[in-house]
Amino acid sequence: MLLLFLFSDSFKLGCSVCSSEKPTAVIDALVFDPPSFRENSNARPAPCCTGNSSIVHVELSVKLRLLVALYSGCHIALFTVGKKGLKQPGSIRVERWLNTDDAMCTSVASEQQILAVGCSRGVVELYDLAENMRHIRTISLYDWGYSVEDTGPVACISWTPDNCAFAVGWKFRGLTVWSVSGCRLMCTIRQTGSNSASSPMVKPNALKFEPLMGGTSHIQWDDNGYKLFAVEESLSERVLAFSFAKCCLNRGLSGTTYSHQVLYGDDRILLVQPDDADELKLLHLNVPVSYISQNWPVLHVVASNDGMYLAVAGSHGLVLYDLRNKRWRFFGDVTQEQKIQCKGLLWLGKIVIVCNYVESSNTYELLFFPKYHLDYSSLLYRKPLLGRPIVMDVFQDYVLVTYSPFDVHIFHVVILGELSPASNPVLQLSTVRELSIMSPKSPPVSMRFIPEQPDKGVLKQETNGSSGLSSEQPSRCLILRTNGELSVLDMDDGHEHALTNSVELFWVTCSQFEEKGSLIKEVSWLDYGHRGMQVWYPSHGADPFKQEDFLQLDPELEFDREVYPLGLLPNVGVVVGVSQRMSFSTAEFPCFEPSPQAQTILHCLLRHLLQRDKIEEALRLANLSVEKPHFSHCLEWLLFTVFDADISRPSASKNQVPQKVDYPKKSLLEKTCDLLRNFPEYMDVVVSVARKTDGRHWADLFSAAGRSTEMFEECFQRRWYRTAACYILVIAKFEGPAVSQYCALRLLQATLDESLYELAGELVRFLLRSGRDFENATSDSEKLSPRFLGYFLFRSPYKRQSSDLKSNSMKELSPHIASVMNILESHASYLMSGKELSKLVAFVKGTQFDLVEYLQRERLGSARLENFASALELIGQKLQMNTLQSRLDAEFLLAHMCSVKFKEWIVVLATLLRRAEVLVDLFRHDLRLWKAYSITLQSHDVFREYLDLLNMLEEQLCSVSDLTLQNGPLS
């Protein structure tokens, strides 16, 4: 029989002065640094001293030895806990008060040492527990258009087990998951705008399918962070479960995945891959049931350096996946598999390194398996470790292992023999470096070797398709600490150089991508954090990691704050991220789907090279990228960022008198334009940038890019008419209205000849508008413009036959408007003469040409039909009435012919359309026309298809005639 005894005790959480006899110490006991807070806190005593506040929430962090208490008055108290648990109840005292007036809930991230405070304002405030409760940042939905009126106050907060993200539930509506840096990873609240990647436009009644519409009362993550459980405030009898996929954050004991961007769920792998069109897609790869059913869940995933293999580890053992052959590789012996508790994975060439925890002895070891055989009989090496490792990394032949608190060991691996099943390879492991670093800083969560920079340029062309990897031992590594500080460690002297803070993850890229066609070779590393994505460039000086130009950042490389970066695709030249999308089906709730996003990095690399006068390297890199998607967008973004930076510089520095030099140095804007001139996209890129910037700054742009009229002329000669049209406004600004009208008229004629009627319509509207403004001007140059434009009045391939039939209204128009109208009428006559009726309809719709007025003037001219039979046959061939668009065009023309009572055209078009009611209405007033029509259709075999229409017309006309005889003659 088992007896359980319960000992009860109670105590009051009070400040350290409540029982003290020294009232003068109250202020010091109630507050903490900084001093400014002390000065402002005299008027308000602690909640425990007022006697009118109760404790509503308590949270204990054993790792931090911290107890957090939330009082009903929205105040937060922090208590220190002993190493072996709570102190004696009578000695527990408040040591710090957090100065807040609207705290509703709290949650502690022990790993990150962050306190999250949910507020009645609907926001979450993050505080750094390691730095005396320093405020870090505010997280809210305000930027997405939602305020506290929409969500209500924060009701609950829950951190993921690894403290990399936290979930926030609101009292009135919704649930959101954020990363530490403030990236919105998931949100149940639908975005009403169409510009949000997470929320496509749907019907308004779809809101009823939104989960947690009644508010969130409780949330909790599972032990591995794959599922988030939530209880709705208004439906507390059920629990909602949201499944998540994790990013490979390159932290701790697992290696860095460069060749593939990987997400993984509890039983599957999600690979981000470009398809045939270089568009990113997600490939779902299910882990075999035979493995995952016994070793659930997936805990570690790493891709090999060549991108051909994945190593996947669950609670025990591991499996390998061959991406090329689509095959899984298992341990043949299940007992061997169960002996492995994988705590981390690394790839060293064709070898997978497993950090194994030996439960029986409470020790750790490294196991080296060849990828071709998972079995202890093929084990290449077993390396016992000194303790529990906290960080590991591998580069080429070197393995880094770091122990707590900060002891670094570097091993060198040598393989004797060929790594293949047919041979008997031998692996030798030697320790080449040991460091013990004494530092008060927070412990590292990630460390990566920094390869030594080569002496020559990294963009040299490979002669054999790839360059050999140097086996030189790296002497530096990057360190990311739990507090987000990123630094460089010199392993020769142990010196650490701080770089930046607020970093969440980073990727070392230099010398990682050696394959031909890689676009990421000019980057040392990238990092992501609260500031967004930042790029760090290599420098080849004597001390490359301390030079000022090395520390340059690229704020242009920005994702939306709902896209979380995963890594790089070097051959495509993009940074890959993932965001949440909603898809609605017949289910009660929408599906939350991860969606890959891409952000190009090419413009950053080119600007970096141009800044350092590496013109040839920049051109070579751009040529490598010509076939890549969005190449034109990259060039445009490059020119825009350079130009924007140029016009944003203080005017004083721009207006300084340059010093006399033998060869004036080109500006970055000029060097950028020189680079872009090597590509056919140049003309379009320049004018696109001009359209995106204020016209007041165009002079700066075109002084570097070239004269606008010359660029227009080049586009015109190359028949790039759409791009040429964009230069018209620029020409009007710099060269005056006369030149812009001249260019626009030339372009109008060319676009009409090429049947680009929508573009022609835009030019017509510009010409008519500017022509009216032109007539109001009084300068001599403007008065001469009609003579200047006269050449374009009749340039159509068709020479008008009835120009003498024009109405006097054309002569009354201003010369500029008359020039436009003459070009349009000339083209209309050309189309009408050739019976290009589909083009005529498109022309009329695109340019808003007055077809009715034209037909009234041209009844005896270009619009005249000489012979009904030949006209019916020709127009039938031109219109091809078996297509819907041709029938619509014929209906359009018939309506206009009826409005001007053009009988010849009405008969032809109504016959083609088989519009019997139109023909009957016409023939009953003109029986001679009916007889001629009937004889013509019956006497030509080509019109045999219309005999049924003829019989129908005859019957209807007979009935009309009988009715007429009864009621009297036709009027």
Side-chain angles (χ1 to χ4, degrees):
M1 183 178 179
L2 177 64
L3 297 177
L4 298 179
F5 294 91
L6 178 63
F7 296 93
S8 63
D9 197 358
S10 64
F11 56 92
K12 180 181 179 182
L13 294 177
C15 66
S16 59
V17 298
C18 285
S19 59
S20 174
E21 297 180 358
K22 298 179 181 180
T24 56
V26 171
I27 296 178
D28 290 337
L30 297 182
V31 298
F32 56 92
D33 290 333
S36 59
F37 181 83
R38 301 186 181 190
E39 296 171 3
N40 297 330
S41 61
N42 293 344
R44 182 174 55 201
C48 63
C49 298
T50 62
N52 58 2
S53 184
S54 60
I55 296 173
V56 296
H57 176 74
V58 173
E59 184 175 3
L60 174 65
S61 172
V62 176
K63 183 173 182 177
L64 299 180
R65 302 203 300 274
L66 181 70
L67 182 68
V68 179
L70 173 63
Y71 284 81
S72 59
C74 299
H75 302 281
I76 298 173
L78 288 82
F79 307 81
T80 299
V81 178
K83 294 182 179 180
K84 296 182 179 181
L86 288 171
K87 300 178 181 179
Q88 291 296 322
S91 63
I92 295 178
R93 293 289 181 268
V94 176
E95 298 190 0
R96 296 182 188 175
W97 288 100
L98 181 60
N99 185 30
T100 176
D101 293 325
D102 60 349
M104 304 296 293
C105 58
T106 62
S107 184
V108 176
S110 299
E111 298 293 334
Q112 303 275 4
Q113 299 191 49
I114 294 176
L115 175 64
V117 179
C119 302
S120 60
R121 293 171 287 130
V123 305
V124 177
E125 305 286 0
L126 300 183
Y127 297 91
D128 191 338
L129 294 170
E131 295 190 19
N132 207 15
M133 297 298 292
R134 177 182 61 86
H135 181 263
I136 301 175
R137 65 185 61 94
T138 301
I139 307 293
S140 74
L141 282 177
Y142 290 170
D143 291 342
W144 282 269
Y146 288 100
S147 64
V148 65
E149 286 77 15
D150 302 300
T151 63
V154 177
C156 44
I157 302 174
S158 180
W159 287 90
T160 56
D162 59 5
N163 292 171
C164 291
F166 59 94
V168 178
W170 286 275
K171 187 173 181 60
F172 297 159
R173 176 188 179 189
L175 169 71
T176 298
V177 178
W178 310 84
S179 74
V180 177
S181 61
C183 181
R184 195 181 74 168
L185 306 177
M186 172 264 192
C187 185
T188 63
I189 303 176
R190 289 202 59 259
Q191 191 74 18
T192 55
S194 59
N195 60 344
S196 174
S198 66
S199 305
M201 295 293 290
V202 296
K203 297 179 181 179
N205 60 3
L207 284 175
K208 66 181 181 181
F209 296 108
E210 180 181 302
L212 302 168
M213 273 291 291
T216 307
S217 59
H218 302 284
I219 51 177
Q220 180 64 50
W221 293 93
D222 69 356
D223 290 342
N224 298 292
Y226 287 115
K227 286 189 182 296
L228 175 64
F229 301 98
V231 177
E232 189 166 357
E233 182 78 27
S234 59
L235 294 171
S236 56
E237 69 275 6
R238 67 175 180 179
V239 177
L240 300 181
F242 300 91
S243 297
F244 284 81
K246 293 184 179 182
C247 307
C248 292
L249 293 179
N250 308 327
R251 290 186 169 200
L253 305 180
S254 289
T256 303
T257 296
Y258 287 103
S259 52
H260 285 283
Q261 309 315 317
V262 179
L263 296 161
Y264 59 95
D266 57 351
D267 63 350
R268 71 191 60 204
I269 313 299
L270 285 75
L271 289 175
V272 180
Q273 293 182 330
D275 57 17
D276 296 336
D278 282 330
E279 295 294 331
L280 298 181
K281 63 178 182 179
L282 271 179
L283 173 66
H284 286 250
L285 181 63
N286 291 316
V287 180
V289 176
S290 58
Y291 173 78
I292 199 64
S293 61
Q294 301 297 321
N295 301 291
W296 181 92
V298 173
L299 297 176
H300 306 278
V301 180
V302 180
S304 60
N305 295 335
D306 58 7
M308 291 297 102
Y309 275 85
L310 290 177
V312 181
S315 60
H316 290 86
L318 73 149
V319 289
L320 304 180
Y321 182 70
D322 187 337
L323 288 166
R324 180 179 298 166
N325 298 317
K326 296 180 172 55
R327 291 182 179 178
W328 289 93
R329 183 163 293 152
F330 306 82
F331 271 93
D333 189 341
V334 177
T335 59
Q336 293 185 13
E337 180 178 84
Q338 293 303 306
K339 291 180 181 179
I340 297 177
Q341 291 191 41
C342 180
K343 301 300 180 182
L345 288 172
L346 298 171
W347 278 98
L348 190 143
K350 299 179 181 180
I351 300 172
V352 58
I353 305 175
V354 182
C355 178
N356 182 38
Y357 172 63
V358 184
E359 189 173 5
S360 60
S361 60
N362 192 25
T363 58
Y364 293 83
E365 62 183 0
L366 296 183
L367 303 178
F368 293 76
F369 288 101
K371 69 179 182 182
Y372 56 79
H373 194 202
L374 288 180
D375 194 276
Y376 272 88
S377 63
S378 299
L379 183 65
L380 298 174
Y381 199 85
R382 184 196 299 266
K383 171 64 177 177
L385 298 179
L386 299 179
R388 183 180 69 86
I390 56 174
V391 173
M392 294 198 313
D393 186 34
V394 65
F395 176 71
Q396 296 175 14
D397 301 333
Y398 295 92
V399 180
L400 178 146
V401 179
T402 302
Y403 306 97
S404 181
F406 203 164
D407 294 331
V408 180
H409 288 204
I410 298 175
F411 307 105
H412 184 232
V413 178
V414 176
I415 302 172
L416 304 178
E418 182 183 0
L419 273 174
S420 68
S423 62
N424 189 22
V426 176
L427 187 146
Q428 297 178 349
L429 190 72
S430 59
T431 303
V432 296
R433 195 186 296 265
E434 293 184 2
L435 293 88
S436 183
I437 301 174
M438 304 300 292
S439 172
K441 297 181 179 181
S442 57
V445 294
S446 181
M447 295 177 65
R448 295 290 174 257
F449 282 120
I450 300 176
E452 297 299 322
Q453 295 292 330
D455 294 333
K456 297 181 180 180
V458 295
L459 282 174
K460 62 181 180 181
Q461 288 183 309
E462 297 90 347
T463 57
N464 57 355
S466 64
S467 57
L469 293 177
S470 170
S471 59
E472 183 179 357
Q473 177 184 345
S475 61
R476 296 177 176 88
C477 69
L478 271 181
I479 302 174
L480 176 63
R481 298 182 180 273
T482 55
N483 63 354
E485 179 182 294
L486 186 66
S487 59
V488 174
L489 173 64
D490 189 325
M491 292 181 288
D492 290 333
D493 58 15
H495 178 72
E496 187 177 346
H497 176 62
L499 297 176
T500 185
N501 52 24
S502 297
V503 173
E504 192 168 332
L505 63 159
F506 69 94
W507 305 268
V508 175
T509 58
C510 49
S511 301
Q512 294 288 347
F513 308 114
E514 297 297 332
E515 65 270 22
K516 186 176 182 180
S518 171
L519 305 183
I520 315 294
K521 294 182 179 181
E522 267 296 308
V523 174
S524 286
W525 58 77
L526 298 92
D527 70 61
Y528 175 77
H530 183 61
R531 300 181 186 89
M533 183 71 68
Q534 299 176 129
V535 184
W536 301 76
Y537 295 111
S539 180
H540 303 287
D543 197 353
F545 299 103
K546 294 182 180 178
Q547 289 189 1
E548 184 178 356
D549 62 348
F550 172 74
L551 301 179
Q552 290 190 3
L553 309 179
D554 271 302
E556 294 88 4
L557 189 62
E558 291 293 342
F559 280 112
D560 293 333
R561 286 196 298 130
E562 54 190 16
V563 181
Y564 194 79
L566 301 178
L568 307 171
L569 285 180
N571 290 331
V572 185
V574 299
V575 178
V576 179
V578 65
S579 66
Q580 167 205 302
R581 283 190 181 276
M582 285 186 184
S583 65
F584 293 84
S585 62
T586 57
E588 180 182 2
F589 294 126
C591 277
F592 298 93
E593 299 177 348
S595 175
Q597 310 287 328
Q599 170 68 60
T600 179
I601 195 175
L602 178 62
H603 67 286
C604 297
L605 304 182
L606 293 175
R607 186 177 67 252
H608 157 70
L609 292 170
L610 293 174
Q611 284 174 330
R612 287 150 181 78
D613 291 324
K614 296 182 178 180
I615 309 301
E616 294 182 3
E617 290 88 342
L619 180 58
R620 191 176 302 130
L621 177 62
N623 282 322
L624 280 174
S625 315
V626 168
E627 300 300 327
K628 305 299 180 184
H630 314 304
F631 175 67
S632 179
H633 171 72
C634 292
L635 298 185
E636 180 181 334
W637 193 233
L638 168 66
L639 182 59
F640 177 80
T641 54
V642 171
F643 178 50
D644 185 63
D646 184 77
I647 61 179
S648 299
R649 285 187 294 121
S651 56
S653 62
K654 295 177 67 174
N655 297 331
Q656 287 179 352
V657 179
Q659 298 179 355
K660 293 183 179 181
V661 293
D662 296 335
Y663 300 99
K665 187 177 180 180
K666 288 187 175 181
S667 67
L668 181 58
L669 179 61
E670 292 172 326
K671 289 187 287 187
T672 302
C673 291
D674 290 344
L675 173 67
L676 268 55
R677 284 192 183 93
N678 294 280
F679 303 97
E681 293 86 355
Y682 177 63
M683 300 297 173
D684 190 59
V685 165
V686 171
V687 77
S688 295
V689 171
R691 293 171 64 183
K692 292 178 173 64
T693 53
D694 195 324
R696 293 174 297 177
H697 302 296
W698 284 358
D700 296 328
L701 175 62
F702 285 93
S703 64
R707 189 172 179 179
S708 56
T709 50
E710 295 175 355
M711 301 178 79
F712 167 85
E713 189 64 32
E714 183 172 349
C715 294
F716 188 85
Q717 295 301 325
R718 296 190 180 189
R719 304 165 73 92
W720 298 342
Y721 297 138
R722 296 186 184 279
T723 303
C726 297
Y727 279 94
I728 298 296
L729 289 176
V730 182
I731 293 173
K733 182 175 181 63
F734 290 133
E735 307 293 341
V739 180
S740 66
Q741 285 249 322
Y742 167 71
C743 295
L745 283 169
R746 289 179 63 198
L747 192 57
L748 173 62
Q749 186 64 67
T751 54
L752 293 176
D753 295 343
E754 294 290 333
S755 303
L756 301 174
Y757 296 124
E758 290 187 3
L759 181 57
E762 295 179 12
L763 289 168
V764 168
R765 287 186 285 275
F766 167 79
L767 283 164
L768 295 180
R769 182 176 62 251
S770 63
R772 296 187 191 99
D773 298 338
F774 201 8
E775 287 302 314
N776 295 329
T778 57
S779 66
D780 294 337
S781 60
E782 290 167 344
K783 292 178 180 178
L784 296 175
S785 61
R787 192 172 50 195
F788 176 64
L789 302 172
Y791 168 72
F792 299 98
L793 296 185
F794 302 103
R795 267 202 64 205
S796 172
Y798 169 74
K799 186 175 181 180
R800 293 186 56 191
Q801 300 175 359
S802 57
S803 58
D804 56 330
L805 299 176
K806 287 196 308 176
S807 65
N808 293 330
S809 61
M810 181 66 73
K811 299 178 182 179
E812 297 172 359
L813 295 175
S814 67
H816 303 285
I817 297 178
S819 301
V820 178
M821 300 309 297
N822 271 288
I823 292 177
L824 296 179
E825 287 212 2
S826 180
H827 188 71
S829 298
Y830 164 71
L831 296 177
M832 185 63 82
S833 176
K835 303 302 181 286
E836 301 290 345
L837 300 181
S838 292
K839 288 186 177 180
L840 178 65
V841 173
F843 163 73
V844 171
K845 291 181 177 179
T847 62
Q848 300 299 307
F849 179 72
D850 192 344
L851 182 60
V852 171
E853 182 182 351
Y854 170 79
L855 292 174
Q856 289 173 342
R857 288 199 307 268
E858 295 295 328
R859 296 177 71 94
L860 301 178
S862 59
R864 182 180 179 182
L865 296 178
E866 298 290 344
N867 181 275
F868 168 71
S870 59
L872 181 62
E873 182 177 3
L874 176 61
I875 294 173
Q877 293 173 354
K878 292 285 188 179
L879 281 178
Q880 295 295 322
M881 300 302 294
N882 56 341
T883 65
L884 175 61
Q885 186 58 50
S886 294
R887 294 185 65 82
L888 294 174
D889 292 343
E891 293 280 4
F892 179 86
L893 290 172
L894 178 60
H896 283 75
M897 297 302 176
C898 290
S899 66
V900 295
K901 297 181 173 55
F902 209 151
K903 285 186 179 182
E904 294 91 334
W905 278 96
I906 294 174
V907 172
V908 172
L909 294 172
T911 301
L912 292 172
L913 290 167
R914 296 179 176 270
R915 293 285 299 275
E917 73 280 3
V918 176
L919 293 171
V920 168
D921 186 61
L922 185 65
F923 292 148
R924 72 176 183 172
H925 297 288
D926 193 341
L927 294 179
R928 287 187 304 171
L929 180 59
W930 157 245
K931 291 180 180 179
Y933 176 82
S934 176
I935 294 171
T936 302
L937 292 185
Q938 293 179 28
S939 59
H940 292 77
D941 292 338
V942 71
F943 300 139
R944 193 174 302 167
E945 61 177 304
Y946 299 111
L947 293 181
D948 59 335
L949 174 65
L950 196 63
N951 294 331
M952 183 189 306
L953 292 174
E954 188 171 6
E955 293 177 1
Q956 294 186 20
L957 285 172
C958 288
S959 64
V960 171
S961 298
D962 294 341
L963 183 62
T964 303
L965 291 175
Q966 296 175 7
N967 298 333
L970 293 172
S971 59

